[in-house]
Amino acid sequence: MSINTATNKNTYTGDNTTTVFSYTFPISDDDQLEVALVTISTGARTVLTKTTHYSVDGVGELTGGNVTMVTAPTTAQKLIVKGTEPLTQETTYTRNDPFPAETHEAALDHLLRAIKYLQEQI
């Protein structure tokens, strides 16, 4: 897959009703999202737990997917959906084997997601 977006985070203000929120960037595993609620008046931030507070769909989709909250965020809260990426190198190339284009593309995608994750941290 080719990643064509610089987005690594989506932010939404709650409305007491909406429970489905899109994330507009690819992830390869549903653990590669951090979902948090921020209290607007204080800035207090609470990282939510998958399955307890929300579910995820769209894993592996180039355009992202949705986070479905168990409880709608209130008007006093912002919901932040941020991509995370493990900082590991899992691709191994074997000398004199045919070039593994799909494996190479996946490794480049992983590196780009890691760069976007680190950029957000900075």
Side-chain angles (χ1 to χ4, degrees), residues 1-109:
M1 108 177 107
S2 178
I3 298 174
N4 296 319
T5 180
T7 302
N8 191 47
K9 177 172 79 172
N10 298 113
T11 303
Y12 301 94
T13 300
D15 64 5
N16 297 323
T17 306
T18 304
T19 57
V20 178
F21 300 90
S22 64
Y23 61 93
T24 57
F25 46 88
I27 59 172
S28 58
D29 185 292
D30 62 1
D31 288 329
Q32 292 175 336
L33 285 181
E34 179 181 285
V35 180
L37 281 176
V38 175
T39 302
I40 295 169
S41 63
T42 65
R45 184 174 179 272
T46 303
V47 176
L48 304 178
T49 305
K50 184 180 63 175
T51 66
T52 302
H53 300 111
Y54 67 92
S55 62
V56 177
D57 68 30
V59 174
E61 296 294 326
L62 190 58
T63 57
N66 294 307
V67 168
T68 302
M69 301 291 294
V70 172
T71 304
T74 69
T75 56
Q77 298 173 313
K78 286 192 181 222
L79 180 73
I80 298 173
V81 180
K82 181 171 68 170
T84 64
E85 187 72 21
L87 302 178
T88 57
Q89 197 321 49
E90 298 176 0
T91 303
T92 303
Y93 295 101
T94 304
R95 194 178 286 227
N96 296 320
D97 272 0
F99 185 73
E102 286 185 30
T103 301
H104 187 69
E105 181 75 22
L108 291 173
D109 291 346

